[in-house]
Amino acid sequence: MLSLHAERLADIALETPEPDGPMETDIECIKPHIELRHVSYRYAQGEPSVIHNLSLMIHAGDSVALVGRSGCGKTTLLKLILGLLTPTEGEILIGGISMRQLGPQACRNLVGAVMQEDQLLAGSLAENIACFDPHFCQERVKEAAQIADIHKTITNMPMGYQTLVTDMGAGLSGGQKQRIFLARALYRKPKILVLDEATSNLDLHSEQHVIKALGEMPMTRVIIAHRRETIAFAKRLVCLDKGVVVEDVRLDEARVTE
Ligand SMILES: Nc1ncnc2c1ncn2[C@@H]1O[C@H](COP(=O)(O)OP(=O)(O)OP(=O)(O)O)[C@@H](O)[C@H]1O
Ligand SMILES: [Mg+2]
């Protein structure tokens, strides 16, 4: 019986720590533009690549809607930008510095993300939004919740921000969970925000509120979305097909740039 538990723990406890980047970086000085240079990615050797020789420049402060068919590589591309996956070929630069040099810690401090398979952890709603920061700031939690359009819902709960989350968010609706994930991504005031269908369970009104509030924030945004209304808020539309960019249009000027 014990060895079974020990084995489960060993998966975590004996994992080699992630090496940090060779560079000491002051992330305050990094401009949040993202550049992908001839990036290819395959999940395993011998498998076909999911991203093929993709080059893309996303300028600081831009908002990009990433669209494409299911399975075309959108989530994979976001995971590469987040540093969760390392390109098989090519490199990704943030603020002109290669992600290999920046190291995972600096990359994570720069980016806030809501991914498709995100979960909540056991603890209060406030702790979840503040990513279990032991010295979290209640005011910032509230601010993030307001932008994510979940503050009122939380204050209407009998225990408010102290409501306990159990079983990865049982008791909360899909849309409520998504808005909490969003508040969690915003809490750290990231310079880059990456959303993978993060508003797909919201009603149109709530989604418009969130997207509009995000649009006014000074950060670089890359958003995977399917709804026309969400895409319309972006300044640029990038369409992927089978791991390559097939369309890249500026929506604010409605002209093809590449
Ligand atoms: N962990 C993995 N191991 C192996 N192959 C994977 C893995 N994750 C995704 N893939 C494959 O990579 C391809 C792209 O997947 P990805 O999740 O990036 O698609 P997507 O564009 O985000 O799709 P969706 O719109 O359905 O979320 C798919 O063919 C998928 O089967
Ligand atoms: Mg996906």
Side-chain angles (χ1 to χ4, degrees), residues 13-198:
L14 303 181
E15 182 67 25
T16 32
E18 225 173 26
D20 212 355
M23 244 176 86
E24 278 279 312
T25 333
D26 178 8
I27 63 159
E28 286 309 312
C29 307
I30 296 178
K31 287 238 163 62
H33 47 246
I34 308 162
E35 187 182 354
L36 287 96
R37 282 190 192 157
H38 305 289
V39 172
S40 297
Y41 184 79
R42 60 168 59 96
Y43 277 97
Q45 256 188 349
E47 275 189 29
S49 53
V50 175
I51 301 289
H52 308 279
N53 194 19
L54 193 148
S55 295
L56 190 67
M57 178 80 188
I58 300 171
H59 294 282
D62 210 353
S63 78
V64 177
L66 198 57
V67 299
R69 284 193 190 162
S70 178
C72 71
K74 303 181 296 296
T75 300
T76 308
L77 185 61
L78 286 198
K79 286 186 177 169
L80 287 162
I81 293 174
L82 287 168
L84 296 174
L85 301 172
T86 314
T88 321
E89 280 163 49
E91 64 173 344
I92 302 176
L93 298 95
I94 295 188
I97 307 169
S98 153
M99 283 179 79
R100 286 178 219 269
Q101 272 200 308
L102 275 174
Q105 202 53 51
C107 292
R108 270 165 221 160
N109 289 339
L110 279 165
V111 189
V114 180
M115 300 303 280
Q116 270 173 324
E117 65 271 24
D118 273 358
Q119 294 295 349
L120 293 171
L121 301 172
S124 69
L125 285 179
E127 283 173 319
N128 267 283
I129 293 175
C131 299
F132 293 84
D133 174 359
H135 311 290
F136 73 83
C137 165
Q138 186 64 45
E139 198 47 41
R140 265 174 72 175
V141 168
K142 185 180 146 194
E143 223 175 274
Q146 275 169 334
I147 300 168
D149 196 26
I150 189 74
H151 173 69
K152 272 195 200 136
T153 314
I154 295 177
T155 48
N156 282 337
M157 294 176 182
M159 297 282 286
Y161 280 94
Q162 297 315 312
T163 305
L164 286 179
V165 176
T166 51
D167 294 338
M168 302 201 290
L172 294 164
S173 76
Q176 287 169 344
K177 271 192 266 183
Q178 276 195 330
R179 284 177 283 159
I180 293 166
F181 298 146
L182 199 58
R184 175 169 74 182
L186 294 171
Y187 173 78
R188 288 179 305 133
K189 301 195 177 187
K191 289 188 174 190
I192 299 171
L193 182 72
V194 164
L195 305 179
D196 194 347
E197 290 176 41

